[in-house]
PDB file of all heavy atoms in Angstrom:
ATOM      1  N   ALA A   1     181.958 169.049  90.445  1.00 98.00           N
ATOM      2  CA  ALA A   1     181.034 169.756  91.249  1.00 98.00           C
ATOM      3  C   ALA A   1     179.604 169.709  90.583  1.00 98.00           C
ATOM      4  O   ALA A   1     178.582 169.682  91.300  1.00 98.00           O
ATOM      5  CB  ALA A   1     181.397 171.200  91.462  1.00 98.00           C
ATOM      6  N   GLU A   2     179.567 169.682  89.259  1.00 98.00           N
ATOM      7  CA  GLU A   2     178.258 169.695  88.555  1.00 98.00           C
ATOM      8  C   GLU A   2     177.488 168.428  88.710  1.00 98.00           C
ATOM      9  O   GLU A   2     176.260 168.395  88.784  1.00 98.00           O
ATOM     10  CB  GLU A   2     178.483 170.077  87.080  1.00 98.00           C
ATOM     11  CG  GLU A   2     178.828 171.490  86.804  1.00 98.00           C
ATOM     12  CD  GLU A   2     180.239 171.795  87.255  1.00 98.00           C
ATOM     13  OE1 GLU A   2     181.213 170.923  87.142  1.00 98.00           O
ATOM     14  OE2 GLU A   2     180.517 172.956  87.718  1.00 98.00           O
ATOM     15  N   ASN A   3     178.216 167.328  88.651  1.00 98.00           N
ATOM     16  CA  ASN A   3     177.470 166.034  88.630  1.00 98.00           C
ATOM     17  C   ASN A   3     177.457 165.320  89.965  1.00 98.00           C
ATOM     18  O   ASN A   3     176.724 164.294  90.189  1.00 98.00           O
ATOM     19  CB  ASN A   3     177.991 165.060  87.565  1.00 98.00           C
ATOM     20  CG  ASN A   3     179.451 164.691  87.707  1.00 98.00           C
ATOM     21  OD1 ASN A   3     180.020 164.548  88.868  1.00 98.00           O
ATOM     22  ND2 ASN A   3     180.149 164.531  86.561  1.00 98.00           N
ATOM     23  N   ILE A   4     178.168 165.786  90.997  1.00 98.00           N
ATOM     24  CA  ILE A   4     178.153 165.146  92.290  1.00 98.00           C
ATOM     25  C   ILE A   4     176.758 165.096  92.845  1.00 98.00           C
ATOM     26  O   ILE A   4     176.326 164.029  93.336  1.00 98.00           O
ATOM     27  CB  ILE A   4     179.070 165.935  93.316  1.00 98.00           C
ATOM     28  CG1 ILE A   4     180.473 165.536  93.083  1.00 98.00           C
ATOM     29  CG2 ILE A   4     178.712 165.589  94.759  1.00 98.00           C
ATOM     30  CD1 ILE A   4     181.524 166.259  93.898  1.00 98.00           C
ATOM     31  N   PRO A   5     175.889 166.147  92.813  1.00 98.00           N
ATOM     32  CA  PRO A   5     174.512 166.029  93.320  1.00 98.00           C
ATOM     33  C   PRO A   5     173.711 164.978  92.641  1.00 98.00           C
ATOM     34  O   PRO A   5     172.902 164.288  93.290  1.00 98.00           O
ATOM     35  CB  PRO A   5     173.902 167.470  93.103  1.00 98.00           C
ATOM     36  CG  PRO A   5     175.118 168.362  93.019  1.00 98.00           C
ATOM     37  CD  PRO A   5     176.218 167.544  92.363  1.00 98.00           C
ATOM     38  N   ILE A   6     173.890 164.827  91.293  1.00 98.00           N
ATOM     39  CA  ILE A   6     173.153 163.835  90.540  1.00 98.00           C
ATOM     40  C   ILE A   6     173.562 162.405  90.988  1.00 98.00           C
ATOM     41  O   ILE A   6     172.724 161.534  91.276  1.00 98.00           O
ATOM     42  CB  ILE A   6     173.395 164.003  89.084  1.00 98.00           C
ATOM     43  CG1 ILE A   6     172.965 165.423  88.635  1.00 98.00           C
ATOM     44  CG2 ILE A   6     172.600 162.962  88.246  1.00 98.00           C
ATOM     45  CD1 ILE A   6     173.393 165.726  87.163  1.00 98.00           C
ATOM     46  N   ILE A   7     174.919 162.188  91.051  1.00 98.00           N
ATOM     47  CA  ILE A   7     175.390 160.891  91.490  1.00 98.00           C
ATOM     48  C   ILE A   7     174.985 160.554  92.880  1.00 98.00           C
ATOM     49  O   ILE A   7     174.553 159.465  93.233  1.00 98.00           O
ATOM     50  CB  ILE A   7     176.974 160.815  91.360  1.00 98.00           C
ATOM     51  CG1 ILE A   7     177.335 161.053  89.883  1.00 98.00           C
ATOM     52  CG2 ILE A   7     177.494 159.510  91.846  1.00 98.00           C
ATOM     53  CD1 ILE A   7     178.787 161.278  89.727  1.00 98.00           C
ATOM     54  N   ALA A   8     175.041 161.525  93.828  1.00 98.00           N
ATOM     55  CA  ALA A   8     174.700 161.351  95.151  1.00 98.00           C
ATOM     56  C   ALA A   8     173.207 160.973  95.292  1.00 98.00           C
ATOM     57  O   ALA A   8     172.819 160.075  96.041  1.00 98.00           O
ATOM     58  CB  ALA A   8     174.993 162.643  95.996  1.00 98.00           C
ATOM     59  N   GLU A   9     172.399 161.690  94.600  1.00 97.00           N
ATOM     60  CA  GLU A   9     170.909 161.364  94.632  1.00 97.00           C
ATOM     61  C   GLU A   9     170.591 160.042  94.109  1.00 97.00           C
ATOM     62  O   GLU A   9     169.770 159.323  94.665  1.00 97.00           O
ATOM     63  CB  GLU A   9     170.138 162.455  93.870  1.00 97.00           C
ATOM     64  CG  GLU A   9     168.595 162.289  93.944  1.00 97.00           C
ATOM     65  CD  GLU A   9     167.887 163.361  93.160  1.00 97.00           C
ATOM     66  OE1 GLU A   9     168.543 164.175  92.516  1.00 97.00           O
ATOM     67  OE2 GLU A   9     166.624 163.379  93.221  1.00 97.00           O
ATOM     68  N   GLN A  10     171.244 159.650  93.053  1.00 98.00           N
ATOM     69  CA  GLN A  10     170.872 158.411  92.337  1.00 98.00           C
ATOM     70  C   GLN A  10     171.442 157.150  93.069  1.00 98.00           C
ATOM     71  O   GLN A  10     170.909 156.101  92.984  1.00 98.00           O
ATOM     72  CB  GLN A  10     171.374 158.443  90.897  1.00 98.00           C
ATOM     73  CG  GLN A  10     170.694 159.369  89.953  1.00 98.00           C
ATOM     74  CD  GLN A  10     171.115 159.354  88.549  1.00 98.00           C
ATOM     75  OE1 GLN A  10     171.956 158.527  88.166  1.00 98.00           O
ATOM     76  NE2 GLN A  10     170.553 160.156  87.708  1.00 98.00           N
ATOM     77  N   THR A  11     172.586 157.373  93.739  1.00 98.00           N
ATOM     78  CA  THR A  11     173.244 156.203  94.360  1.00 98.00           C
ATOM     79  C   THR A  11     173.249 156.162  95.887  1.00 98.00           C
ATOM     80  O   THR A  11     173.527 155.110  96.426  1.00 98.00           O
ATOM     81  CB  THR A  11     174.733 156.217  93.875  1.00 98.00           C
ATOM     82  OG1 THR A  11     175.413 157.322  94.506  1.00 98.00           O
ATOM     83  CG2 THR A  11     174.836 156.310  92.345  1.00 98.00           C
ATOM     84  N   GLN A  12     173.024 157.332  96.514  1.00 97.00           N
ATOM     85  CA  GLN A  12     173.166 157.425  98.015  1.00 97.00           C
ATOM     86  C   GLN A  12     174.584 157.295  98.500  1.00 97.00           C
ATOM     87  O   GLN A  12     174.814 157.060  99.653  1.00 97.00           O
ATOM     88  CB  GLN A  12     172.238 156.458  98.700  1.00 97.00           C
ATOM     89  CG  GLN A  12     170.791 156.586  98.317  1.00 97.00           C
ATOM     90  CD  GLN A  12     170.266 157.969  98.495  1.00 97.00           C
ATOM     91  OE1 GLN A  12     170.341 158.537  99.580  1.00 97.00           O
ATOM     92  NE2 GLN A  12     169.687 158.577  97.377  1.00 97.00           N
ATOM     93  N   ILE A  13     175.531 157.383  97.569  1.00 98.00           N
ATOM     94  CA  ILE A  13     176.982 157.303  97.996  1.00 98.00           C
ATOM     95  C   ILE A  13     177.425 158.614  98.596  1.00 98.00           C
ATOM     96  O   ILE A  13     176.984 159.722  98.194  1.00 98.00           O
ATOM     97  CB  ILE A  13     177.798 156.956  96.744  1.00 98.00           C
ATOM     98  CG1 ILE A  13     177.581 155.465  96.402  1.00 98.00           C
ATOM     99  CG2 ILE A  13     179.342 157.230  96.990  1.00 98.00           C
ATOM    100  CD1 ILE A  13     178.300 155.021  95.153  1.00 98.00           C
ATOM    101  N   HIS A  14     178.286 158.540  99.640  1.00 97.00           N
ATOM    102  CA  HIS A  14     178.748 159.749 100.349  1.00 97.00           C
ATOM    103  C   HIS A  14     180.187 160.099 100.152  1.00 97.00           C
ATOM    104  O   HIS A  14     180.753 160.972 100.730  1.00 97.00           O
ATOM    105  CB  HIS A  14     178.508 159.588 101.836  1.00 97.00           C
ATOM    106  CG  HIS A  14     177.083 159.664 102.236  1.00 97.00           C
ATOM    107  ND1 HIS A  14     176.159 158.678 101.941  1.00 97.00           N
ATOM    108  CD2 HIS A  14     176.346 160.558 102.852  1.00 97.00           C
ATOM    109  CE1 HIS A  14     174.966 158.982 102.412  1.00 97.00           C
ATOM    110  NE2 HIS A  14     175.046 160.177 102.979  1.00 97.00           N
ATOM    111  N   GLN A  15     180.914 159.308  99.354  1.00 98.00           N
ATOM    112  CA  GLN A  15     182.381 159.501  99.137  1.00 98.00           C
ATOM    113  C   GLN A  15     182.638 159.737  97.619  1.00 98.00           C
ATOM    114  O   GLN A  15     182.157 158.891  96.768  1.00 98.00           O
ATOM    115  CB  GLN A  15     183.176 158.343  99.698  1.00 98.00           C
ATOM    116  CG  GLN A  15     182.982 158.188 101.174  1.00 98.00           C
ATOM    117  CD  GLN A  15     184.124 157.310 101.736  1.00 98.00           C
ATOM    118  OE1 GLN A  15     185.197 157.135 101.232  1.00 98.00           O
ATOM    119  NE2 GLN A  15     183.823 156.673 102.953  1.00 98.00           N
ATOM    120  N   PHE A  16     183.411 160.725  97.309  1.00 98.00           N
ATOM    121  CA  PHE A  16     183.657 161.171  95.915  1.00 98.00           C
ATOM    122  C   PHE A  16     185.128 161.356  95.684  1.00 98.00           C
ATOM    123  O   PHE A  16     185.843 161.901  96.583  1.00 98.00           O
ATOM    124  CB  PHE A  16     182.821 162.352  95.552  1.00 98.00           C
ATOM    125  CG  PHE A  16     181.361 162.077  95.606  1.00 98.00           C
ATOM    126  CD1 PHE A  16     180.642 162.278  96.821  1.00 98.00           C
ATOM    127  CD2 PHE A  16     180.686 161.633  94.496  1.00 98.00           C
ATOM    128  CE1 PHE A  16     179.329 161.993  96.862  1.00 98.00           C
ATOM    129  CE2 PHE A  16     179.321 161.347  94.549  1.00 98.00           C
ATOM    130  CZ  PHE A  16     178.588 161.558  95.702  1.00 98.00           C
ATOM    131  N   HIS A  17     185.624 160.967  94.528  1.00 98.00           N
ATOM    132  CA  HIS A  17     187.042 160.921  94.200  1.00 98.00           C
ATOM    133  C   HIS A  17     187.164 161.694  92.807  1.00 98.00           C
ATOM    134  O   HIS A  17     186.528 161.344  91.851  1.00 98.00           O
ATOM    135  CB  HIS A  17     187.483 159.470  94.079  1.00 98.00           C
ATOM    136  CG  HIS A  17     188.852 159.304  93.466  1.00 98.00           C
ATOM    137  ND1 HIS A  17     189.971 159.031  94.216  1.00 98.00           N
ATOM    138  CD2 HIS A  17     189.237 159.280  92.148  1.00 98.00           C
ATOM    139  CE1 HIS A  17     191.037 158.868  93.407  1.00 98.00           C
ATOM    140  NE2 HIS A  17     190.578 159.029  92.178  1.00 98.00           N
ATOM    141  N   LEU A  18     188.056 162.641  92.821  1.00 97.00           N
ATOM    142  CA  LEU A  18     188.404 163.333  91.569  1.00 97.00           C
ATOM    143  C   LEU A  18     189.771 163.927  91.585  1.00 97.00           C
ATOM    144  O   LEU A  18     190.404 163.964  92.676  1.00 97.00           O
ATOM    145  CB  LEU A  18     187.351 164.449  91.280  1.00 97.00           C
ATOM    146  CG  LEU A  18     187.254 165.570  92.358  1.00 97.00           C
ATOM    147  CD1 LEU A  18     187.436 166.922  91.652  1.00 97.00           C
ATOM    148  CD2 LEU A  18     185.913 165.494  93.047  1.00 97.00           C
ATOM    149  N   SER A  19     190.290 164.298  90.421  1.00 96.00           N
ATOM    150  CA  SER A  19     191.614 164.930  90.412  1.00 96.00           C
ATOM    151  C   SER A  19     191.509 166.388  90.248  1.00 96.00           C
ATOM    152  O   SER A  19     192.326 167.198  90.685  1.00 96.00           O
ATOM    153  CB  SER A  19     192.493 164.337  89.217  1.00 96.00           C
ATOM    154  OG  SER A  19     191.842 164.661  88.001  1.00 96.00           O
ATOM    155  N   GLY A  20     190.481 166.903  89.548  1.00 94.00           N
ATOM    156  CA  GLY A  20     190.343 168.349  89.319  1.00 94.00           C
ATOM    157  C   GLY A  20     191.529 168.918  88.690  1.00 94.00           C
ATOM    158  O   GLY A  20     191.839 170.098  88.933  1.00 94.00           O
ATOM    159  N   LYS A  21     192.196 168.262  87.827  1.00 93.00           N
ATOM    160  CA  LYS A  21     193.463 168.666  87.270  1.00 93.00           C
ATOM    161  C   LYS A  21     193.274 169.676  86.074  1.00 93.00           C
ATOM    162  O   LYS A  21     192.218 169.609  85.406  1.00 93.00           O
ATOM    163  CB  LYS A  21     194.345 167.572  86.893  1.00 93.00           C
ATOM    164  CG  LYS A  21     193.808 166.579  85.839  1.00 93.00           C
ATOM    165  CD  LYS A  21     194.683 165.469  85.533  1.00 93.00           C
ATOM    166  CE  LYS A  21     194.098 164.483  84.529  1.00 93.00           C
ATOM    167  NZ  LYS A  21     192.905 163.805  84.945  1.00 93.00           N
ATOM    168  N   ARG A  22     194.254 170.414  85.842  1.00 89.00           N
ATOM    169  CA  ARG A  22     194.302 171.318  84.687  1.00 89.00           C
ATOM    170  C   ARG A  22     195.700 171.367  84.122  1.00 89.00           C
ATOM    171  O   ARG A  22     196.719 171.273  84.860  1.00 89.00           O
ATOM    172  CB  ARG A  22     193.715 172.762  84.967  1.00 89.00           C
ATOM    173  CG  ARG A  22     194.606 173.536  85.934  1.00 89.00           C
ATOM    174  CD  ARG A  22     194.045 174.847  86.313  1.00 89.00           C
ATOM    175  NE  ARG A  22     194.869 175.595  87.197  1.00 89.00           N
ATOM    176  CZ  ARG A  22     194.488 176.687  87.832  1.00 89.00           C
ATOM    177  NH1 ARG A  22     193.258 177.134  87.779  1.00 89.00           N
ATOM    178  NH2 ARG A  22     195.345 177.286  88.646  1.00 89.00           N
ATOM    179  N   ASN A  23     195.804 171.715  82.901  1.00 88.00           N
ATOM    180  CA  ASN A  23     197.154 171.906  82.240  1.00 88.00           C
ATOM    181  C   ASN A  23     197.603 173.377  82.542  1.00 88.00           C
ATOM    182  O   ASN A  23     196.858 174.275  82.458  1.00 88.00           O
ATOM    183  CB  ASN A  23     197.083 171.677  80.729  1.00 88.00           C
ATOM    184  CG  ASN A  23     196.927 170.265  80.386  1.00 88.00           C
ATOM    185  OD1 ASN A  23     197.205 169.297  81.148  1.00 88.00           O
ATOM    186  ND2 ASN A  23     196.280 169.996  79.195  1.00 88.00           N
ATOM    187  N   GLU A  24     198.890 173.400  82.943  1.00 88.00           N
ATOM    188  CA  GLU A  24     199.488 174.706  83.174  1.00 88.00           C
ATOM    189  C   GLU A  24     200.836 174.793  82.469  1.00 88.00           C
ATOM    190  O   GLU A  24     201.505 173.715  82.342  1.00 88.00           O
ATOM    191  CB  GLU A  24     199.679 174.987  84.668  1.00 88.00           C
ATOM    192  CG  GLU A  24     198.368 174.905  85.448  1.00 88.00           C
ATOM    193  CD  GLU A  24     198.546 175.202  86.901  1.00 88.00           C
ATOM    194  OE1 GLU A  24     199.647 175.643  87.305  1.00 88.00           O
ATOM    195  OE2 GLU A  24     197.637 174.962  87.690  1.00 88.00           O
ATOM    196  N   PRO A  25     201.243 175.916  81.959  1.00 88.00           N
ATOM    197  CA  PRO A  25     202.556 176.023  81.275  1.00 88.00           C
ATOM    198  C   PRO A  25     203.677 175.825  82.262  1.00 88.00           C
ATOM    199  O   PRO A  25     203.620 176.279  83.382  1.00 88.00           O
ATOM    200  CB  PRO A  25     202.468 177.477  80.712  1.00 88.00           C
ATOM    201  CG  PRO A  25     201.523 178.181  81.588  1.00 88.00           C
ATOM    202  CD  PRO A  25     200.491 177.198  82.003  1.00 88.00           C
ATOM    203  N   GLY A  26     204.748 175.103  81.759  1.00 85.00           N
ATOM    204  CA  GLY A  26     205.914 174.941  82.535  1.00 85.00           C
ATOM    205  C   GLY A  26     206.842 176.187  82.437  1.00 85.00           C
ATOM    206  O   GLY A  26     206.555 177.139  81.670  1.00 85.00           O
ATOM    207  N   PRO A  27     207.908 176.193  83.162  1.00 88.00           N
ATOM    208  CA  PRO A  27     208.801 177.393  83.247  1.00 88.00           C
ATOM    209  C   PRO A  27     209.793 177.477  82.066  1.00 88.00           C
ATOM    210  O   PRO A  27     210.457 178.484  81.955  1.00 88.00           O
ATOM    211  CB  PRO A  27     209.519 177.182  84.541  1.00 88.00           C
ATOM    212  CG  PRO A  27     209.620 175.748  84.750  1.00 88.00           C
ATOM    213  CD  PRO A  27     208.338 175.157  84.184  1.00 88.00           C
ATOM    214  N   MET A  28     209.920 176.433  81.234  1.00 84.00           N
ATOM    215  CA  MET A  28     210.939 176.436  80.204  1.00 84.00           C
ATOM    216  C   MET A  28     210.613 177.612  79.214  1.00 84.00           C
ATOM    217  O   MET A  28     209.616 177.766  78.668  1.00 84.00           O
ATOM    218  CB  MET A  28     210.982 175.107  79.454  1.00 84.00           C
ATOM    219  CG  MET A  28     211.595 173.953  80.228  1.00 84.00           C
ATOM    220  SD  MET A  28     213.340 174.236  80.590  1.00 84.00           S
ATOM    221  CE  MET A  28     214.004 174.278  78.914  1.00 84.00           C
ATOM    222  N   GLN A  29     211.704 178.368  79.003  1.00 84.00           N
ATOM    223  CA  GLN A  29     211.622 179.443  77.897  1.00 84.00           C
ATOM    224  C   GLN A  29     212.144 178.865  76.668  1.00 84.00           C
ATOM    225  O   GLN A  29     211.615 179.157  75.574  1.00 84.00           O
ATOM    226  CB  GLN A  29     212.386 180.642  78.445  1.00 84.00           C
ATOM    227  CG  GLN A  29     211.777 181.313  79.661  1.00 84.00           C
ATOM    228  CD  GLN A  29     212.581 182.512  80.150  1.00 84.00           C
ATOM    229  OE1 GLN A  29     213.587 182.840  79.596  1.00 84.00           O
ATOM    230  NE2 GLN A  29     212.058 183.179  81.180  1.00 84.00           N
ATOM    231  N   TYR A  30     213.295 178.158  76.702  1.00 86.00           N
ATOM    232  CA  TYR A  30     213.840 177.549  75.471  1.00 86.00           C
ATOM    233  C   TYR A  30     213.045 176.199  75.290  1.00 86.00           C
ATOM    234  O   TYR A  30     212.994 175.387  76.190  1.00 86.00           O
ATOM    235  CB  TYR A  30     215.331 177.278  75.552  1.00 86.00           C
ATOM    236  CG  TYR A  30     215.821 176.420  74.422  1.00 86.00           C
ATOM    237  CD1 TYR A  30     215.926 177.004  73.183  1.00 86.00           C
ATOM    238  CD2 TYR A  30     216.090 175.104  74.530  1.00 86.00           C
ATOM    239  CE1 TYR A  30     216.375 176.258  72.061  1.00 86.00           C
ATOM    240  CE2 TYR A  30     216.527 174.357  73.452  1.00 86.00           C
ATOM    241  CZ  TYR A  30     216.729 174.952  72.270  1.00 86.00           C
ATOM    242  OH  TYR A  30     217.129 174.164  71.187  1.00 86.00           O
ATOM    243  N   ARG A  31     212.409 176.010  74.119  1.00 82.00           N
ATOM    244  CA  ARG A  31     211.606 174.900  73.905  1.00 82.00           C
ATOM    245  C   ARG A  31     212.066 174.188  72.594  1.00 82.00           C
ATOM    246  O   ARG A  31     211.837 174.724  71.534  1.00 82.00           O
ATOM    247  CB  ARG A  31     210.134 175.359  73.863  1.00 82.00           C
ATOM    248  CG  ARG A  31     209.642 175.993  75.099  1.00 82.00           C
ATOM    249  CD  ARG A  31     208.172 176.103  75.249  1.00 82.00           C
ATOM    250  NE  ARG A  31     207.779 176.609  76.556  1.00 82.00           N
ATOM    251  CZ  ARG A  31     206.503 176.540  77.042  1.00 82.00           C
ATOM    252  NH1 ARG A  31     205.553 176.172  76.168  1.00 82.00           N
ATOM    253  NH2 ARG A  31     206.293 176.944  78.206  1.00 82.00           N
ATOM    254  N   LYS A  32     212.510 172.986  72.762  1.00 75.00           N
ATOM    255  CA  LYS A  32     212.925 172.148  71.606  1.00 75.00           C
ATOM    256  C   LYS A  32     211.669 171.349  71.165  1.00 75.00           C
ATOM    257  O   LYS A  32     211.362 170.347  71.784  1.00 75.00           O
ATOM    258  CB  LYS A  32     214.076 171.216  72.017  1.00 75.00           C
ATOM    259  CG  LYS A  32     214.670 170.388  70.863  1.00 75.00           C
ATOM    260  CD  LYS A  32     215.610 171.320  70.127  1.00 75.00           C
ATOM    261  CE  LYS A  32     216.423 170.519  69.139  1.00 75.00           C
ATOM    262  NZ  LYS A  32     217.320 171.360  68.331  1.00 75.00           N
ATOM    263  N   GLU A  33     211.101 171.850  70.057  1.00 78.00           N
ATOM    264  CA  GLU A  33     209.854 171.218  69.649  1.00 78.00           C
ATOM    265  C   GLU A  33     210.174 170.008  68.758  1.00 78.00           C
ATOM    266  O   GLU A  33     211.298 169.844  68.210  1.00 78.00           O
ATOM    267  CB  GLU A  33     209.032 172.220  68.849  1.00 78.00           C
ATOM    268  CG  GLU A  33     208.621 173.453  69.589  1.00 78.00           C
ATOM    269  CD  GLU A  33     207.582 173.182  70.676  1.00 78.00           C
ATOM    270  OE1 GLU A  33     207.043 172.062  70.737  1.00 78.00           O
ATOM    271  OE2 GLU A  33     207.225 174.113  71.447  1.00 78.00           O
ATOM    272  N   GLY A  34     209.211 169.048  68.736  1.00 76.00           N
ATOM    273  CA  GLY A  34     209.364 167.905  67.819  1.00 76.00           C
ATOM    274  C   GLY A  34     210.180 166.784  68.351  1.00 76.00           C
ATOM    275  O   GLY A  34     210.570 165.906  67.592  1.00 76.00           O
ATOM    276  N   VAL A  35     210.527 166.843  69.627  1.00 73.00           N
ATOM    277  CA  VAL A  35     211.331 165.769  70.207  1.00 73.00           C
ATOM    278  C   VAL A  35     210.559 165.283  71.457  1.00 73.00           C
ATOM    279  O   VAL A  35     210.883 165.552  72.625  1.00 73.00           O
ATOM    280  CB  VAL A  35     212.711 166.208  70.642  1.00 73.00           C
ATOM    281  CG1 VAL A  35     213.585 165.092  71.132  1.00 73.00           C
ATOM    282  CG2 VAL A  35     213.340 166.982  69.520  1.00 73.00           C
ATOM    283  N   PRO A  36     209.523 164.402  71.222  1.00 72.00           N
ATOM    284  CA  PRO A  36     208.742 163.956  72.388  1.00 72.00           C
ATOM    285  C   PRO A  36     209.495 163.011  73.333  1.00 72.00           C
ATOM    286  O   PRO A  36     210.262 162.130  72.817  1.00 72.00           O
ATOM    287  CB  PRO A  36     207.558 163.217  71.687  1.00 72.00           C
ATOM    288  CG  PRO A  36     208.053 162.803  70.402  1.00 72.00           C
ATOM    289  CD  PRO A  36     209.023 163.849  69.998  1.00 72.00           C
ATOM    290  N   MET A  37     209.269 163.162  74.593  1.00 71.00           N
ATOM    291  CA  MET A  37     209.972 162.378  75.613  1.00 71.00           C
ATOM    292  C   MET A  37     209.118 161.308  76.123  1.00 71.00           C
ATOM    293  O   MET A  37     209.601 160.451  76.941  1.00 71.00           O
ATOM    294  CB  MET A  37     210.417 163.300  76.744  1.00 71.00           C
ATOM    295  CG  MET A  37     211.514 164.261  76.342  1.00 71.00           C
ATOM    296  SD  MET A  37     213.092 163.486  76.037  1.00 71.00           S
ATOM    297  CE  MET A  37     213.589 164.357  74.556  1.00 71.00           C
TER     298      MET A  37
END
């Protein structure tokens, strides 16, 4: 959202693509650490 106006003004492009993702904790209560999958 912060850079869309800048990109739009500089390029005149009207279509924008983003994921807007964030990390969220999973539901697992028992956590086996040190075993990467």
Side-chain angles (χ1 to χ4, degrees):
E2 287 71 35
N3 60 34
I4 284 174
I6 302 171
I7 298 170
E9 180 179 7
Q10 292 183 2
T11 69
Q12 303 305 306
I13 286 174
H14 288 73
Q15 298 196 22
F16 295 88
H17 169 102
L18 61 125
S19 64
K21 60 184 180 295
R22 68 183 179 193
N23 291 334
E24 299 182 14
M28 286 296 296
Q29 296 179 356
Y30 173 73
R31 300 191 171 193
K32 188 76 169 181
E33 301 289 353
V35 188
M37 294 289 138

